[in-house]
Amino acid sequence: MSDAAAVRELRLVVTADDYDEALRFYRDVLGLPERAAYSSPDGRVTILEAGRATLEITDPNHAAFIDDVEVGRPVAGHIRVAFEVDDSTAVTARLAKAGARVIAEPTRTPWNSLNSRLQAPGALQLTLFTELGDQDRP
């Protein structure tokens, strides 16, 4: 692949019925820094920085396995957004206080991370994960 064809950024675009609430939640509560904001005669858009981006592709069987590990039952839809955070327990509590619905409290996974699951503004299901590292393996 030539450099001209290389992908330079992954941008997840969320259309939120309550734009102000979604912006407050993701920018002000979760802490995603604002990169840019634009408006048109009929609407607004804000681009938030979310650190490094990856695109995780899974088949339905593995998606069901992840749901089972993190939540204990199938709950994810076609798209789930995962954020790596320094303390998934504290961030889960902060987001819940700000209006997210906790689907599953932080749970240690077989891949040695501490993951929680929430339903957040913009109709997004979120996984918050903290990598525990080799020293914390059971």
Side-chain angles (χ1 to χ4, degrees):
M1 177 185 334
S2 72
D3 287 339
V7 174
R8 299 179 57 81
E9 177 180 341
L10 170 65
R11 186 171 292 179
L12 177 67
V13 180
V14 176
T15 301
D17 288 334
D18 189 338
Y19 172 87
D20 291 321
E21 172 60 14
L23 182 60
R24 181 194 68 79
F25 183 85
Y26 293 102
R27 182 190 61 198
D28 303 336
V29 180
L30 185 56
L32 302 179
E34 187 173 311
R35 179 196 294 178
Y38 306 98
S39 62
S40 65
D42 297 320
R44 300 173 286 163
V45 63
T46 300
I47 300 168
L48 303 174
E49 293 286 342
R52 176 182 61 118
T54 60
L55 178 61
E56 181 175 323
I57 307 291
T58 185
D59 66 26
N61 290 332
H62 193 76
F65 174 73
I66 294 169
D67 275 356
D68 188 53
V69 166
E70 292 182 0
V71 182
R73 66 186 190 284
V75 295
H78 177 67
I79 294 183
R80 175 177 49 85
V81 178
F83 291 106
E84 182 177 4
V85 297
D86 289 337
D87 183 344
S88 56
T89 301
V91 176
T92 298
R94 189 172 81 232
L95 298 186
K97 188 175 179 182
R101 182 175 59 86
V102 176
I103 298 169
E105 294 290 341
T107 303
R108 185 180 220 140
T109 68
W111 42 92
N112 207 33
S113 60
L114 193 61
N115 296 22
S116 65
R117 191 76 68 90
L118 302 100
Q119 186 67 38
L124 287 178
Q125 194 169 108
L126 306 181
T127 291
L128 301 178
F129 68 99
T130 300
E131 297 293 353
L132 298 175
D134 290 336
Q135 71 277 7
D136 295 319
R137 283 204 182 271

